[in-house]
Amino acid sequence: MAKDKNSPSKVEGYKQESRLLRGTIDEVLRDPEKDHFEESDLQLIKFHGSYQQDDRDLRKERRAAGLGKAYSFMLRIAIPAGQLSASQYLDLDRMADEFANGTIRLTTRQAVQFHGIIKSNLRETLRQINQSLLTTLAACGDVCRNVMATAAPLKDSIHETVRETAHAIAADLRPATKAYYDLWIDGQKELSSMETNDSEPFYGETYLPRKFKAGVTVANDNQIDIYSYDAGLIGVIENEELVGWNVLAGGGLGMSHGRPNTFAQIADKIGFVAIEKGVDAIRVIASIYRDFGNRNDRKQARLKYLIDTMGLDQFKTEFRKRCLFQVQNWREIPAVTINDWMGQHEQGDGKFFYGVFVENGRVKDSESIKMRTALRQIAEELGCGIVVTAQQSLIFQDLDAAQVDRVKEILSTNNVPLVETLSNARRYSMACPSMPTCGLAVAESERVAPEIITSIENKLEELGLSDSVMTIRMTGCPNGCARPYTADLALVGRRPGVYHLFVGGRLAGDRMADLYAADVKVEALLETLTPLLTSYAELRKEGEGLGDFYQRTLERSEPRRRVTGKEVPTYDEVQPKLYQLGAR
């Protein structure tokens, strides 16, 4: 019998019957014969910060041997504003060996992930994470996930307010159920600073229709790509003071190949609220999503689809109706800028912070680069605070001049590249984990990205473009975890070794790219890009990025705000225009 399109999805039923996220998780954890969870619990463990995965490299071999999948678990730690103490980082480094695969993964949303945890170690890993006063609660699932904030640890009132607001949103929208503590730390709530109840006064039994992402930044720093979130606050600065928040809603970068009714989108401008009402504004947006979001079709369940269906004007009306405080019109702010905060910077109190580039966020030791060793040594020796950035890297803060020199010395000793030695192509690159653990991946990403970046680096150098700042991002599927659709150049997996090639975004993150070429084999990538890159080298204006040049070639005056799952490639349209511009 066909499913009624108006009936709730299976996941809604799982949530409804879960006894506030308990399900049968405890029973499975206690059963030594079971190495994985079944469907209903699979959905519930996401709320607790975990995804069940298996090693896809081993599937064929194990199937031939009559074995099942090699199950393991990813754990994600929610870190509001990306802030960690040295001791917390060292705890995570230790746990990477004790429970995971010996690596730490820094994410594009300022969180930390472990991979390769087996079921029998899940409870103890989570317990120790909580002992470190960290949590995996709401790092995944149909709730407000990790709340981001600009990574720059600047010691001024504006940035302090940004960080405090991110933490306040995270606390306000964290699930209240006691299930997390009952399941993972046996009800020992004292191990965590968070208060919980055995009810969900905000979310209710079915929580949100799907995930909800939020962030906080200031008008002159879009390092966190604020326009790609479900909801966001941009601090408006006048006369060097924070005067309030511009509110955004409806961004999101996930879509499905071949489905024109799915799309990635830049967030809409909603209004302006007072500083003290920022948390309330995000809560109101979440409440509208909770009450009106699509609970029948999870592919249409994100807030961006609700706003598209409801209409932006009606959404704004509902927002203002629910706000028990004044909502003003959007305040005009300066053009978006971005700084990745790598290298040395003054933090405003006489001390410095230092950003370390971590390629694709994977903290590990290789034969040539001892990244994990270097970061551990810095944290142990200097005891400085750490901030995870939205570009999968990290920052050491509160350093004096001698300590900055020591950071550089430790990095160099372990062959970790200093930021000034990196090409722009590599410095601004990102890739999602993809194979072999992500169940959604259809192509490689992290494992092949460094080699692809090297080939692009060489081509850019050959064309005299080494000085050009461009974002290059790669994902193994269209869900957009590495934010590909706002990049100057992006590869999005279609099937093994084949990618859609997107061009036309920019570092500022406030414009969507186009599908430039479809179904490009990885070995044909440079051949496909060379005509565009050659013209860019010949015809670019001073300071013009690749995405900007591409948009000028197409004579676009307005930035694109949406890209769908089914686009017509622009390659054949762009080539004649390049010749008209005078390209050889």
Side-chain angles (χ1 to χ4, degrees):
M1 182 180 294
K3 178 185 179 294
D4 182 352
K5 67 178 182 179
N6 295 316
S7 64
S9 69
K10 284 185 179 181
V11 177
E12 290 300 304
Y14 299 150
K15 291 185 286 185
Q16 180 88 47
E17 298 165 6
S18 72
R19 296 175 296 123
L20 297 181
L21 306 181
R22 288 173 173 82
T24 58
I25 294 172
D26 186 58
E27 292 88 329
V28 176
L29 288 171
R30 294 179 187 278
D31 188 342
E33 299 300 316
K34 293 183 178 179
D35 62 356
H36 67 285
F37 294 91
E38 300 301 335
E39 178 61 24
S40 60
D41 287 335
L42 273 185
Q43 299 299 325
L44 300 180
I45 64 170
K46 295 177 185 178
F47 291 80
H48 299 275
S50 183
Y51 277 78
Q52 182 170 289
Q53 301 178 328
D54 72 283
D55 190 331
R56 296 173 65 177
D57 288 345
L58 300 178
R59 282 183 182 178
K60 186 175 181 180
E61 175 187 332
R62 290 177 66 86
R63 191 181 303 118
L67 300 172
K69 295 178 179 179
Y71 287 107
S72 66
F73 295 84
M74 180 270 279
L75 271 181
R76 182 180 298 147
I77 301 154
I79 307 170
Q83 295 177 294
L84 289 167
S85 68
S87 63
Q88 286 173 328
Y89 180 82
L90 292 171
D91 282 342
L92 297 178
D93 181 81
R94 171 185 55 79
M95 284 185 264
D97 277 337
E98 289 187 16
F99 304 117
N101 65 355
T103 73
I104 296 170
R105 187 56 152 74
L106 310 177
T107 80
T108 59
R109 302 206 70 256
Q110 295 184 296
V112 166
Q113 290 180 176
F114 288 140
H115 292 92
I117 300 171
I118 59 175
K119 195 210 77 175
S120 58
N121 283 336
L122 262 180
R123 183 134 39 196
E124 181 60 17
T125 310
L126 273 151
R127 189 189 69 79
Q128 291 195 24
I129 288 169
N130 276 264
Q131 269 191 321
S132 298
L133 298 183
L134 295 168
T135 186
T136 64
L137 178 62
C140 323
D142 299 347
V143 289
C144 180
R145 297 191 177 183
N146 194 42
V147 182
M148 298 176 67
T150 177
L154 297 171
K155 301 303 173 72
D156 57 52
S157 61
I158 292 173
H159 287 83
E160 291 287 357
T161 300
V162 166
R163 291 187 285 270
E164 289 169 0
T165 302
H167 280 274
I169 294 168
D172 187 68
L173 291 178
R174 188 175 287 124
T177 175
K178 288 174 61 180
Y180 183 80
Y181 304 95
D182 293 340
L183 286 168
W184 306 109
I185 49 180
D186 295 325
Q188 297 179 56
K189 191 171 66 178
E190 67 273 16
L191 291 179
S192 172
S193 60
M194 297 179 298
E195 292 296 324
T196 63
N197 301 292
D198 201 20
S199 64
E200 289 291 3
F202 176 76
Y203 286 118
E205 292 182 338
T206 52
Y207 296 85
L208 297 178
R210 276 199 72 185
K211 57 190 171 184
F212 182 85
K213 298 178 180 180
V216 189
T217 190
V218 288
N220 56 355
D221 184 1
N222 191 28
Q223 188 252 359
I224 64 169
D225 274 345
I226 191 74
Y227 296 99
S228 66
Y229 304 157
D230 294 273
L233 302 175
I234 301 177
V236 178
I237 301 171
E238 295 178 0
N239 299 320
E240 299 185 357
E241 290 188 5
L242 188 65
V243 297
W245 306 106
N246 273 341
V247 182
L248 292 162
L253 298 189
M255 64 183 186
S256 299
H257 284 316
R259 291 177 176 258
N261 65 335
T262 66
F263 52 81
Q265 179 168 282
I266 294 294
D268 291 303
K269 300 173 181 178
I270 303 302
F272 173 88
V273 300
I275 296 172
E276 64 274 14
K277 298 303 179 184
V279 177
D280 292 332
I282 300 298
R283 185 183 179 88
V284 167
I285 292 171
S287 75
I288 300 172
Y289 179 40
R290 175 197 64 201
D291 296 344
F292 295 103
N294 190 328
R295 294 184 182 269
N296 310 317
D297 181 359
R298 287 182 67 82
K299 289 189 178 296
Q300 292 289 310
R302 292 294 297 275
L303 178 65
K304 61 187 176 183
Y305 298 119
L306 170 62
I307 294 177
D308 187 58
T309 301
M310 179 184 283
L312 180 59
D313 288 341
Q314 186 177 341
F315 182 86
K316 287 182 177 180
T317 299
E318 183 68 25
F319 176 75
R320 288 174 180 262
K321 183 174 74 174
R322 294 189 180 209
C323 288
L324 303 178
F325 50 88
Q326 186 178 27
V327 179
Q328 299 178 22
N329 291 332
W330 175 276
R331 298 278 183 94
E332 290 304 313
I333 54 178
V336 173
T337 60
I338 188 169
N339 190 329
D340 64 356
W341 302 111
M342 294 293 95
Q344 179 178 335
H345 301 269
E346 294 183 5
Q347 63 184 33
D349 60 354
K351 292 194 173 185
F352 301 90
F353 62 90
Y354 192 91
V356 180
F357 172 78
V358 181
E359 187 161 29
N360 301 321
R362 185 67 67 177
V363 181
K364 65 178 182 179
D365 284 350
S366 66
E367 289 186 10
S368 57
I369 298 174
K370 305 300 182 185
M371 174 68 73
R372 190 174 158 212
T373 296
L375 300 185
R376 182 196 310 120
Q377 185 177 350
I378 293 168
E380 285 177 336
E381 186 175 319
L382 303 183
C384 48
I386 292 168
V387 186
V388 181
T389 81
Q391 277 73 40
Q392 304 173 304
S393 294
L394 55 76
I395 291 169
F396 292 103
Q397 62 178 335
D398 300 323
L399 305 168
D400 60 32
Q403 289 175 319
V404 171
D405 291 339
R406 182 60 181 146
V407 168
K408 294 179 182 178
E409 183 181 10
I410 292 171
L411 294 174
S412 297
T413 299
N414 289 281
N415 293 322
V416 176
L418 302 182
V419 65
E420 54 267 24
T421 69
L422 296 169
S423 71
N424 284 329
R426 196 169 302 274
R427 175 175 177 173
Y428 296 102
S429 66
M430 293 198 297
C432 72
S434 193
M435 301 290 187
T437 53
C438 179
L440 298 176
V442 295
E444 292 280 0
S445 183
E446 179 186 337
R447 295 197 294 194
V448 301
E451 183 179 346
I452 289 173
I453 293 297
T454 297
S455 67
I456 295 174
E457 274 179 336
N458 293 337
K459 175 58 68 174
L460 294 175
E461 184 175 2
E462 175 190 321
L463 294 172
L465 290 170
S466 296
D467 64 323
S468 177
V469 175
M470 67 175 72
T471 44
I472 304 174
R473 297 173 182 170
M474 188 172 189
T475 61
C477 82
N479 286 289
C481 291
R483 303 194 293 274
Y485 308 116
T486 58
D488 288 274
L489 172 63
L491 287 81
V492 176
R494 281 281 286 156
R495 55 186 180 274
V498 177
Y499 299 83
H500 274 352
L501 184 59
F502 287 82
V503 177
R506 57 182 167 187
L507 187 63
D510 60 345
R511 179 178 68 204
M512 283 293 173
D514 288 338
L515 175 59
Y516 179 66
D519 297 315
V520 179
K521 293 182 178 180
V522 69
E523 57 267 25
L525 170 64
L526 284 181
E527 179 185 349
T528 305
L529 277 175
T530 293
L532 177 64
L533 293 177
T534 302
S535 299
Y536 173 49
E538 295 174 358
L539 304 172
R540 63 175 173 156
K541 297 179 179 179
E542 184 176 355
E544 188 175 42
L546 175 64
D548 295 330
F549 171 74
Y550 171 88
Q551 298 293 338
R552 179 164 64 88
T553 299
L554 290 177
E555 302 178 86
R556 289 203 181 132
S557 57
E558 292 295 323
R560 188 174 186 184
R561 299 187 63 258
R562 176 183 294 183
V563 57
T564 74
K566 191 164 186 176
E567 296 279 327
V568 176
T570 62
Y571 184 91
D572 290 337
E573 178 186 0
V574 170
Q575 302 315 305
K577 290 184 177 292
L578 292 175
Y579 286 112
Q580 291 174 15
L581 282 174
R584 290 180 292 177

